[in-house]
Amino acid sequence: MAWVPLAVLAGVMVVALSSSDPLMQLLPWVVLTGMLLFMSARVRRMRSLERQTHRVQELAMLRHQREALDAGWALLPQLTGSLDLYARTTALLAHLLDQLKAYDSAIVGYDFLIERLPQEHPASVQLRVQKTIVQLESDHLADADDGLRKLRALQQHPSVTPVQAAYHYALLLQSVRTHHYDDAIAMAGGLLDNLRPLGVDAGYGHALLAWSFAAHAERLRLREAESPQTNAGAGAQETHSELMQSATTWWSSATLLLPVADLARRHVHLHDFSQRPPIAAATQSAVPPAGNA
Amino acid sequence: MQQNDNTPDERDDASGSEQGPALAQCPPFTAARLQRQLLIDQAMRFGLVMVIVLLLVPTMVTALTDRALAQPEWTNAAMLVALAGWLGMAMINTGAARRLARATLLMDFDHERAEAELAGALKPLALNRTLRILLYQRLALLRHRQGNYAESGAICQAVLNQPLGKAEHVRVPLLLILIESRLTEGDGVAAYAGIMQLRARPIALLESLQLLALQTRYEVQLGYDDSALSRIAEKTRMAELMPAPQCGAMHAMLAASARRASRAGLAAWLRGRAELLCSSEQLRTIDHVWKPVAPDDAD
């Protein structure tokens, strides 16, 4: 298609040169000027659309999700001429819907893009991880399990990228959602490093791990209460307090990165959890302390 | 960039004899070469446009007034040659623009091939001015990523000294590279001048985050702790929008500043977050590289 304007120009030139009419000899220049004007208008329009897409992305970055969603939705029909901008905006809309807990709509958005990208494309992998997280959040556990199995290759990479970090978060979320707290606890060793590329959002993972430690401790306590003879009393007590100690440590780092309100907004059960006695005492501030102390 | 007495082509030949096809390199940058290239680009384009206009005048007069002016027989042939020249220049520019796009893609993971693309794109004469400026901006970025801060700073400075015209949008990225280069080289005065220029301009969110990181680095490096720690809540909130390593680095720098300013509580809070956001290896590098210097040294 890029050669079409040149072919048109060449055709006009042949016509012009084969004619002796002076007006015809001006024709190539008129066509050339028209083409230049058309192309510069097209470039200007593309730049304007890029600026508007950029603005939507900035709104999303600043966590103004509703404004970003409205602006992105209004912009989308104008982007059909640019596949790249269209795909970027669709991915952003899906992410925003996920943030606003419109999970089913977010899945539709992710599916739309995943179906149109090659399976091994980096963007496709990222979208599949995000979709899996949304499926876990919305209790589509079987679909999410299937998705995580297909993404297993991500575990074998030597360095942790943001996509791999999101995958590790998805694994942790799956363990919590399916109440396999011991599986979640087994991830604790490398979790700090594995979630680090998420930045402050790693706090969500730390909070889930704190919850897992506390839930596992609670299970042990109940089991011990039901059949006191099967466990050596002091040993069980020690394990329980060690688990609670780990829970408070992870909660402490989670709240250092993110405010409790944000954690509870994403995972509702964390609201009550944050008010339990040993956990509440470990809560830190996610905003800098004032004064010189 | 390594200094070498050989010309780039000679270097290519020397390295190519041992391992696979040689990749072209850009010669060491000089501001004079940039100016010369821009001048030649402009002269060639202007010359071609003038030839076409002169050849068109008799045709236009004939067409518009019905008064046939005497035209030499070779006018049509000359017109064809001029048009071919114009199309040739358009094709050269298209090729260079494609190389620019490839270099941009390669820049993250293959510096040598990115440089080869840029070297090939910068070679032809009569490039579009905007395109040449964009190519030099990418070269500055490449040199920056290669750790050649002296050359990246020199390129930025030389390009910024030229009227940017339609490439005005690269002014902010060039200033950001320039500031970081100057800071890395310990030139606080030049870095401050760049920061002030950027602060006077409306900039996008991503660029303002980069500016925030650079300004904080400048203030911490030069020991201006009060400035670094002012509006700390807003700064940490903005830092949270950066990728994790940069966010962690901001926290580590601010922690160093808070410690010096005897704000132990704030220092512990910032350091605690930095330790969660950066690996211990990253933190060691940050602590080593961003050692504060006395303000007098920079002035």
Side-chain angles (χ1 to χ4, degrees), chain A residues 36-51:
Chain A
L36 286 175
L37 287 175
F38 172 73
M39 282 191 284
S40 67
R42 214 176 136 191
V43 167
R44 267 202 305 277
R45 179 169 161 70
M46 283 307 296
R47 285 202 183 136
S48 156
L49 290 175
E50 269 172 25
R51 267 197 305 276

Side-chain angles (χ1 to χ4, degrees), chain B residues 72-151:
Chain B
E73 283 175 4
W74 46 263
T75 306
N76 275 352
M79 182 70 85
L80 272 178
V81 171
L83 266 177
W86 188 87
L87 283 176
M89 270 167 55
M91 287 173 81
I92 287 171
N93 278 295
T94 308
R98 285 194 182 135
R99 279 174 176 269
L100 173 73
R102 279 201 295 270
T104 307
L105 282 176
L106 288 166
M107 209 164 280
D108 285 332
F109 53 90
D110 192 341
H111 290 172
E112 286 182 4
R113 281 178 58 202
E115 183 167 353
E117 293 290 352
L118 289 176
L122 279 166
K123 219 176 229 174
L125 300 173
L127 277 188
N128 179 296
R129 182 186 175 84
T130 307
L131 184 58
R132 196 175 288 282
I133 287 173
L134 286 176
L135 286 165
Y136 271 105
Q137 188 252 338
R138 297 298 197 285
L139 182 61
L141 188 60
L142 179 70
R143 290 286 179 257
H144 199 71
R145 293 194 179 168
Q146 288 170 331
N148 187 346
Y149 299 108
E151 189 160 315

Side-chain angles (χ1 to χ4, degrees), chain A residues 231-283:
Chain A
N231 289 308
Q237 185 58 41
E238 198 177 322
T239 311
H240 181 270
S241 60
E242 277 172 9
L243 288 169
M244 284 313 290
Q245 177 62 43
S246 299
T248 52
T249 307
W250 283 102
W251 182 253
S252 171
S253 60
T255 50
L256 186 59
L257 293 174
L258 288 167
V260 176
D262 282 8
L263 295 171
R265 201 173 300 131
R266 176 81 72 92
H267 303 291
V268 181
H269 57 277
L270 292 177
H271 181 260
D272 291 341
F273 177 66
S274 68
Q275 290 167 355
R276 287 192 207 162
I279 299 299
T283 301

Side-chain angles (χ1 to χ4, degrees), chain B:
Chain B
M1 184 162 174
Q2 287 179 352
Q3 295 298 321
N4 193 328
D5 290 334
N6 295 341
T7 64
D9 293 337
E10 285 167 339
R11 269 184 271 158
D12 296 347
D13 295 342
S15 57
S17 60
E18 289 190 356
Q19 32 178 280
L23 292 173
Q25 287 179 310
C26 297
F29 175 79
T30 59
R33 186 188 305 112
L34 170 67
Q35 247 173 336
R36 197 170 56 241
Q37 284 177 335
L38 289 173
L39 201 67
I40 293 172
D41 291 344
Q42 214 166 354
M44 286 191 69
R45 295 178 75 81
F46 182 73
L48 191 61
V49 169
M50 285 311 293
V51 167
I52 290 172
V53 168
L54 288 175
L55 289 169
L56 265 180
V57 166
T59 313
M60 286 180 76
V61 170
T62 310
L64 298 173
T65 63
D66 281 343
R67 243 186 76 204
L69 292 187
Q71 285 187 56
E73 283 175 4
W74 46 263
T75 306
N76 275 352
M79 182 70 85
L80 272 178
V81 171
L83 266 177
W86 188 87
L87 283 176
M89 270 167 55
M91 287 173 81
I92 287 171
N93 278 295
T94 308
R98 285 194 182 135
R99 279 174 176 269
L100 173 73
R102 279 201 295 270
T104 307
L105 282 176
L106 288 166
M107 209 164 280
D108 285 332
F109 53 90
D110 192 341
H111 290 172
E112 286 182 4
R113 281 178 58 202
E115 183 167 353
E117 293 290 352
L118 289 176
L122 279 166
K123 219 176 229 174
L125 300 173
L127 277 188
N128 179 296
R129 182 186 175 84
T130 307
L131 184 58
R132 196 175 288 282
I133 287 173
L134 286 176
L135 286 165
Y136 271 105
Q137 188 252 338
R138 297 298 197 285
L139 182 61
L141 188 60
L142 179 70
R143 290 286 179 257
H144 199 71
R145 293 194 179 168
Q146 288 170 331
N148 187 346
Y149 299 108
E151 189 160 315
S152 73
I155 297 171
C156 292
Q157 192 66 70
V159 176
L160 285 166
N161 286 342
Q162 302 293 327
L164 296 180
K166 285 182 188 166
E168 186 60 36
H169 63 280
V170 298
R171 186 177 294 279
V172 173
L174 283 169
L175 276 168
L176 287 167
I177 300 171
L178 180 67
I179 295 167
E180 192 167 3
S181 303
R182 296 305 187 225
L183 270 178
T184 309
E185 294 196 302
D187 185 352
V189 177
Y192 182 74
I195 290 169
M196 285 299 109
Q197 276 192 58
L198 270 183
R199 289 190 65 175
R201 307 177 68 85
I203 53 176
L205 178 63
L206 284 177
E207 287 157 349
S208 68
L209 291 178
Q210 289 181 57
L211 177 60
L212 173 66
L214 288 172
Q215 187 169 345
T216 305
R217 182 176 162 185
Y218 165 81
E219 288 163 350
V220 175
Q221 219 172 291
L222 272 72
Y224 299 129
D225 297 325
D226 288 343
S227 300
L229 298 173
S230 67
R231 297 182 297 113
I232 185 75
E234 190 188 328
K235 283 181 182 172
T236 50
R237 210 169 40 246
M238 291 292 278
E240 287 173 8
L241 304 179
M242 299 174 186
Q246 282 91 316
C247 176
M250 268 282 285
H251 281 80
M253 285 191 294
L254 289 168
S257 207
R259 221 171 19 246
R260 277 200 310 247
S262 305
R263 293 176 67 176
L266 181 59
W269 184 84
L270 288 163
R271 187 70 189 183
R273 282 189 126 206
E275 283 168 4
L276 291 173
L277 294 163
C278 297
S279 65
S280 49
E281 193 182 329
Q282 282 171 318
L283 272 180
R284 264 199 305 278
T285 312
I286 291 164
D287 291 343
H288 176 72
V289 172
W290 292 346
K291 270 185 301 196
V293 296
D296 294 345
D297 296 348
D299 299 337

